[in-house]
Amino acid sequence: MGDHFRLAFAALSLLLLISPLSPLLAQEEERDLSGVIVFVPVEGEITERLCRKVAADVEECARRGARLIVLRIDTTGGDYLAASDLAGKIFALRRRSPRVDTFAYIPNGSWAISAGALIAFSCENLVMGDNTHIGDVEPRNLLGPLDEKTQSLVRNDLTRYAKDHPGWPLPIVEAMVTRELAVYEVIERNSTGSRKRYLMQEELDVLPEGDRARLEARLIVRAGELVTLDEQEALAFGFIEKIYSTRNQFIIDAGISEEPMELEDALGRNVTLGDSGAFAWMAAHPFPGFVKFLLILIGVVGLVIELKMPGFGVGGILFLLCFITFFVEGFATNHVGWVELICFPVSLGLLGVEMFVIPGFGVAGITGLALLLASLVMALTPESERLSFSTFTDQLLTVLLALASSVVVTFLILRFLPGGKGSEGGGLISTTSLRGNSTIAESGTDPSERPSDLIGRRGTVVHALRPAGKAEFAGVLRDVVAVGEFLAAGTSVEIAGVEGNRIVVRSVAPEPGN
């Protein structure tokens, strides 16, 4: 037992050494972003995860001193509540850090519609390119308008952000979120000139008759319409000051002398393993969730098959290919860092120690299983995203489902493919049992000794079997595997069969006189 305690102590010591070093290994070299313009993508469907990531990235850029943070927006909407939370954080950042300018940039041919428009309006400045659109913020889904609470929240947010821009016509903004409004363009003339403003139908109706007589009113938004503006309309209504056909025009006007940076470059997340080949392709084409699920499943099946078959074969190749692909793709897409890359092999090592060295299922096994699950769960979550409880449970469920599926697949392979219990013959696994009929190559220390000659021999366990270890037979020390039980050193055993180059033993009563 002393050896077992020493091994457990060594494993725990290794973990204690790794745990403080892992954050240091995972830590990126922090770059000072003073005076830098950073482009943060807000693209595709607006989801809670995307908004959490963008909020964290914006905060990090601001902390490092970025002068301009530009949200590059191209989205037709999504989760309004998540967008409202992100917009509130951007708006609060403007109040908290006035030295940081925030821009919503809608590049040529892009959209900031629905929840995307809410995020855009929370920024201090709005920039639009050619053939762009913004608006249509009414909270809706496929079944119709959302609940009144959500509609009121979005309406109040949008109005608050618009009031922070004195040049923006508030009635036009409100018509983006409420389709019951009618809006008029009103020109008031007097001896000193004319003034243009925008009024809702209700505001126009309460004006005195004399005042209304001096006005020229033109209906520009009919009740029942929901406003969406293109770049020309946004310019005419005063939402933007200029249309930028290229990004360079915008950068020059912003007065930035340094080269603008994409978010991943600014925060040091881009991996420099080459700009071409499979790694670059993975970085540009992240695997969908079901592909990662299959990689875990097939990799575990390969590992089980490899442990069952003699030598290094198909199972080991499958295991290596699947998990190397899984972690390389994760590293390329910033899902995997040094923590995961350390935890995964350490977990396999601890599980191997538990299986082949230490009896029972103890500290090494439990720690190894926990590290295995943790490494796979973290590898499914972007490095920049805070691992919330809901995200953790979702990813843990995916990993557990993949592991459970691998057990089922392995059972079917071992049972129904040639060599399994459902058939006879030697396909997947060739075996020799007490009944003989060996089809295996010769093994053992004596070249003339056939596997079938070993059946029935008795010996004594030298190193505890859990399930593998060593036993002595007539003075010859052999690597053996126990069947379904832990066998302590000194236990009498009998060779029950041979699987490939593996000798399978079972416990027997000691012979008289031993």
Side-chain angles (χ1 to χ4, degrees), residues 256-323:
I256 301 297
S257 57
E258 290 192 33
E259 184 71 18
M261 303 186 70
E262 291 297 323
L263 174 70
E264 304 304 315
D265 293 322
L267 299 185
R269 293 179 186 156
N270 277 342
V271 184
T272 57
L273 295 183
D275 298 324
S276 60
F279 191 87
W281 185 89
M282 288 178 180
H285 303 84
F287 290 171
F290 78 91
V291 172
K292 296 183 179 181
F293 175 89
L294 289 177
L295 287 174
I296 296 174
L297 188 156
I298 297 172
V300 173
V301 170
L303 178 61
V304 175
I305 291 176
E306 180 61 27
L307 293 175
K308 188 70 175 170
M309 295 178 67
F312 184 81
V314 176
I317 294 173
L318 276 178
F319 168 74
L320 291 177
L321 283 178
C322 287
F323 279 104

Side-chain angles (χ1 to χ4, degrees), residues 87-157:
K89 291 177 179 177
I90 294 172
F91 193 71
L93 174 66
R94 293 169 47 191
R95 296 290 183 270
R96 189 175 71 251
S97 303
R99 62 180 178 77
V100 180
D101 291 332
T102 55
F103 282 74
Y105 172 51
I106 310 173
N108 293 348
S110 300
W111 302 69
I113 301 298
S114 184
L118 182 62
I119 296 171
F121 283 146
S122 69
C123 295
E124 190 170 1
N125 306 278
L126 179 63
V127 178
M128 298 177 68
D130 289 327
N131 191 27
T132 53
H133 299 79
I134 189 170
D136 188 3
V137 196
E138 184 185 34
R140 299 177 63 84
N141 57 27
L142 294 177
L143 302 178
L146 297 179
D147 60 277
E148 182 59 35
K149 181 179 179 181
T150 303
Q151 294 187 60
S152 177
L153 173 67
V154 173
R155 188 180 299 112
N156 292 340
D157 284 348

Side-chain angles (χ1 to χ4, degrees), residues 28 31 51 72 101 109 135 176 189 191 210 295 328 342 356 358 364 382 396-397 422 425 432 456 462 482 513:
E28 302 148 351
R31 172 172 182 163
C51 290
R72 186 176 58 240
D101 291 332
M176 291 181 180
R189 303 184 186 277
S191 58
L295 287 174
V328 168
I342 291 173
F356 300 112
I358 302 177
L396 179 61
L397 182 61
T432 297
V462 176

Side-chain angles (χ1 to χ4, degrees), residues 292-293 295-297 299-300 319 322-323 326-327 335-336 339-341 343-345 347-348 351 368-382 387 391-392 394-400 402-403:
K292 296 183 179 181
F293 175 89
L295 287 174
I296 296 174
L297 188 156
V300 173
F319 168 74
C322 287
F323 279 104
F326 177 84
F327 283 103
H335 283 66
V336 172
V339 174
E340 293 85 350
L341 293 179
C343 284
F344 184 73
S347 71
L348 295 181
L351 290 173
L369 183 59
L371 281 177
L372 176 66
L373 293 176
S375 63
L376 294 177
V377 167
M378 290 190 295
L380 293 174
T381 307
L387 190 61
T391 302
F392 173 78
D394 289 344
Q395 308 297 22
L396 179 61
L397 182 61
T398 299
V399 172
L400 292 176
L403 295 178

Side-chain angles (χ1 to χ4, degrees), residues 20-272:
L21 288 176
S22 297
L24 297 176
L25 290 171
Q27 189 175 18
E28 302 148 351
E29 182 180 351
E30 188 169 299
R31 172 172 182 163
D32 181 15
L33 299 179
S34 300
V36 175
I37 178 172
V38 181
F39 282 83
V40 180
V42 183
E43 299 167 346
E45 182 183 3
I46 300 297
T47 63
E48 182 182 359
R49 174 177 294 183
L50 173 65
C51 290
R52 286 202 308 266
K53 180 181 184 304
V54 172
D57 290 337
V58 168
E59 287 287 347
E60 181 64 14
C61 290
R63 188 185 69 80
R64 296 193 189 185
R67 175 183 164 187
L68 269 73
I69 299 175
V70 182
L71 302 187
R72 186 176 58 240
I73 301 177
D74 184 10
T75 175
T76 55
D79 189 332
Y80 280 96
L81 294 180
S84 176
D85 183 63
L86 172 59
K89 291 177 179 177
I90 294 172
F91 193 71
L93 174 66
R94 293 169 47 191
R95 296 290 183 270
R96 189 175 71 251
S97 303
R99 62 180 178 77
V100 180
D101 291 332
T102 55
F103 282 74
Y105 172 51
I106 310 173
N108 293 348
S110 300
W111 302 69
I113 301 298
S114 184
L118 182 62
I119 296 171
F121 283 146
S122 69
C123 295
E124 190 170 1
N125 306 278
L126 179 63
V127 178
M128 298 177 68
D130 289 327
N131 191 27
T132 53
H133 299 79
I134 189 170
D136 188 3
V137 196
E138 184 185 34
R140 299 177 63 84
N141 57 27
L142 294 177
L143 302 178
L146 297 179
D147 60 277
E148 182 59 35
K149 181 179 179 181
T150 303
Q151 294 187 60
S152 177
L153 173 67
V154 173
R155 188 180 299 112
N156 292 340
D157 284 348
L158 199 65
T159 302
R160 177 161 59 108
Y161 303 147
K163 287 181 178 178
D164 196 59
H165 298 80
W168 289 10
L170 189 58
I172 299 294
V173 174
E174 293 185 353
M176 291 181 180
V177 70
T178 307
R179 64 175 63 244
E180 290 79 15
L181 299 180
V183 180
Y184 287 83
E185 179 186 78
V186 176
I187 299 178
E188 182 179 3
R189 303 184 186 277
N190 53 38
S191 58
T192 60
S194 61
R195 182 179 65 148
K196 181 190 296 185
R197 54 181 173 153
Y198 300 92
L199 298 176
M200 290 182 284
Q201 180 72 61
E202 295 82 355
E203 296 173 314
L204 190 63
D205 291 342
V206 298
L207 290 177
E209 283 290 337
D211 292 341
R212 275 193 288 174
R214 295 193 299 269
L215 303 178
E216 295 179 13
R218 179 172 66 93
L219 180 66
I220 57 174
V221 178
R222 298 180 181 277
E225 297 177 354
L226 204 60
V227 171
T228 299
L229 305 177
D230 61 25
E231 74 279 11
Q232 297 292 344
E233 293 168 326
L235 179 64
F237 289 132
F239 287 92
I240 59 177
E241 297 180 356
K242 183 178 179 179
I243 298 172
Y244 291 95
S245 301
T246 67
R247 194 177 79 163
N248 284 340
Q249 291 178 340
F250 160 57
I251 293 170
I252 292 172
D253 280 3
I256 301 297
S257 57
E258 290 192 33
E259 184 71 18
M261 303 186 70
E262 291 297 323
L263 174 70
E264 304 304 315
D265 293 322
L267 299 185
R269 293 179 186 156
N270 277 342
V271 184
T272 57

